[in-house]
Amino acid sequence: MSRGTLTLVGDDTAKLAAALLAQNRAEHSYYDGPRRCSVWPQPADTPMPDTAPVTAEHFDG
């Protein structure tokens, strides 16, 4: 539903994913289906892939 990039300060990906899932729930409250957040390192000088790479951490909420 949503797509974008954020810079993670520190290494708490689970906390970041929980915040992103909560934000997505608030911004897309009309949707009551499952949600997934994928987090992975992305070098600044490379294009964003269309789908999460196999190395991504996935968080469901």
Side-chain angles (χ1 to χ4, degrees), residues 3-61:
R3 181 178 157 157
T5 60
L6 292 175
T7 301
L8 175 64
V9 177
D11 61 354
D12 195 348
T13 55
K15 192 173 185 179
L16 171 66
L20 291 172
L21 288 167
Q23 178 182 352
N24 183 274
R25 248 187 313 282
E27 292 175 354
H28 303 281
S29 60
Y30 54 86
Y31 177 73
D32 61 356
R35 298 164 198 272
R36 172 170 273 194
C37 178
S38 301
V39 179
W40 68 89
Q42 180 72 23
D45 59 344
T46 60
M48 180 64 72
D50 289 333
T51 60
V54 295
T55 57
E57 289 183 74
H58 302 288
F59 300 89
D60 296 317

